[in-house]
Amino acid sequence: MALVAGSYERFIWGFSLKSITATAPSSDETLALAPLFSYPAHAGPIRCVAAAPRAGLAASGGADDSVRLYDLPTAADLGPLLDPSAAVSALAFHSIGPVPRNLLAASDDGLLHLYDADGFALLSSLRVFPRGREATDAVAVHPSGRVALAVGRAGGLAMLNLLRGRRSFACRLERPASAVAYAEDAAGGDRFVMAAEEKVTVHDSEDARIIHEMRCDKRVLAFAPAKNGVLYTGGEDRGITAWDLSSGKVSSRIEGAHSTRVKGIVVFDNRNDGGQHKSKANMSCGVIIEMILGTETMS
């Protein structure tokens, strides 16, 4: 498993997550981060990163109007994609099993670029929101790969038909959302979640109705859904909260996960551990804290 992180100082870092063999049979598994690579990847701050870990691919988007690609097993920089004409604000891979099919790259000029992950040929560029050049803050691809959701800096929400390369729906939100993701609840219900300031909403993917509203103490800066029907959130309150998507209630919480704020969370799916997930929290001061998040509790 690998972890990729970018910085305002233009650098991108790659780490591998490795298990350390316990000395005693009853000892808990210990995990450690081992550096893979570090590059001054962009000519400006790195705005976003995305990965297709089972294929060993990662991408970063920068304020220098470019997307860069990386091969994780060989720690190699594969070069840039120069189609965007503005700062790249959001990236997302869509994969079928271990094979990445598409890469989506949104930029501050209001365009979304759709690439074929086989050779990274540009398939189409479409305007995300009706308000011309509204920048996209986050994008999420449905597991089917047919549609994607995007949230804009001025409060826009759009659904994009990736098969036809056009916008199929758009509306204005009460407050601009900073993050969006597709998720499943414990019963397998198809959901999507959005974060706006201190509130996280859970929606039905079919009709977009609100199922739950979950309020945090302070502004939410990052979240990550897990396959066990749990959503992990973090932000200005410096903690990490696990929410049950079926009930909309807190299932567990880590207080004081960082002294400043939590800027990013990534959940690793380990198929051999009986449902346990591994999560990384990327902190604002560049420190990466390692945690084990269990199916029911966090420890």
Side-chain angles (χ1 to χ4, degrees), residues 121-156:
L122 180 64
L123 299 177
S124 64
S125 297
L126 60 149
R127 194 156 296 283
V128 180
F129 301 103
R131 286 189 178 181
R133 298 177 66 86
E134 180 179 352
T136 300
D137 271 343
V139 62
V141 185
H142 189 270
S144 68
R146 295 176 177 271
V147 297
L149 290 174
V151 292
R153 204 160 298 162

Side-chain angles (χ1 to χ4, degrees), residues 204-236:
D204 189 295
S205 292
E206 289 189 3
D207 55 15
R209 63 186 174 88
I210 296 177
I211 298 174
H212 300 297
E213 288 190 2
M214 307 179 299
R215 291 191 174 272
C216 302
D217 293 334
K218 295 185 178 180
R219 184 184 179 192
V220 176
L221 300 177
F223 59 46
K227 291 185 178 180
N228 53 1
V230 171
L231 179 74
Y232 301 107
T233 65
E236 299 285 1

Side-chain angles (χ1 to χ4, degrees), residues 1-231:
M1 291 179 288
L3 173 70
V4 180
S7 76
Y8 294 123
E9 289 77 24
R10 305 179 297 114
F11 274 81
I12 188 163
W13 293 279
F15 301 88
S16 62
L17 181 64
K18 296 183 178 181
S19 299
I20 299 176
T21 304
T23 56
S26 60
S27 299
D28 293 335
E29 181 187 21
T30 301
L31 300 172
L33 288 173
L36 286 176
F37 59 82
S38 175
Y39 299 121
H42 291 265
I46 293 177
R47 300 276 301 276
C48 52
V49 294
R54 295 176 67 185
L57 279 175
S60 63
D64 59 354
D65 307 354
S66 71
V67 177
R68 296 199 73 92
L69 303 171
Y70 311 91
D71 181 79
L72 297 179
T74 62
D77 184 340
L78 301 178
L81 301 173
L82 302 176
D83 302 287
S85 56
V88 179
S89 55
L91 291 169
F93 277 101
H94 167 61
S95 300
I96 298 179
V99 181
R101 298 295 300 270
N102 298 106
L103 171 65
L104 281 67
S107 51
D108 278 355
D109 59 358
L111 292 177
L112 181 127
H113 305 279
L114 177 63
Y115 295 92
D116 187 336
D118 184 8
F120 292 95
L122 180 64
L123 299 177
S124 64
S125 297
L126 60 149
R127 194 156 296 283
V128 180
F129 301 103
R131 286 189 178 181
R133 298 177 66 86
E134 180 179 352
T136 300
D137 271 343
V139 62
V141 185
H142 189 270
S144 68
R146 295 176 177 271
V147 297
L149 290 174
V151 292
R153 204 160 298 162
L157 168 65
M159 176 176 284
L160 308 171
N161 186 323
L162 299 182
L163 297 181
R164 298 191 176 186
R166 67 186 186 188
R167 181 178 61 247
S168 57
F169 170 81
C171 68
R172 312 306 299 177
L173 300 172
E174 181 181 343
R175 292 190 293 179
S178 58
V180 63
Y182 281 99
E184 285 188 0
D185 62 21
D190 194 6
R191 308 287 183 251
F192 71 88
V193 293
M194 293 191 297
E197 297 296 334
E198 74 284 353
K199 184 171 69 174
V200 176
T201 52
V202 182
H203 301 255
D204 189 295
S205 292
E206 289 189 3
D207 55 15
R209 63 186 174 88
I210 296 177
I211 298 174
H212 300 297
E213 288 190 2
M214 307 179 299
R215 291 191 174 272
C216 302
D217 293 334
K218 295 185 178 180
R219 184 184 179 192
V220 176
L221 300 177
F223 59 46
K227 291 185 178 180
N228 53 1
V230 171
L231 179 74

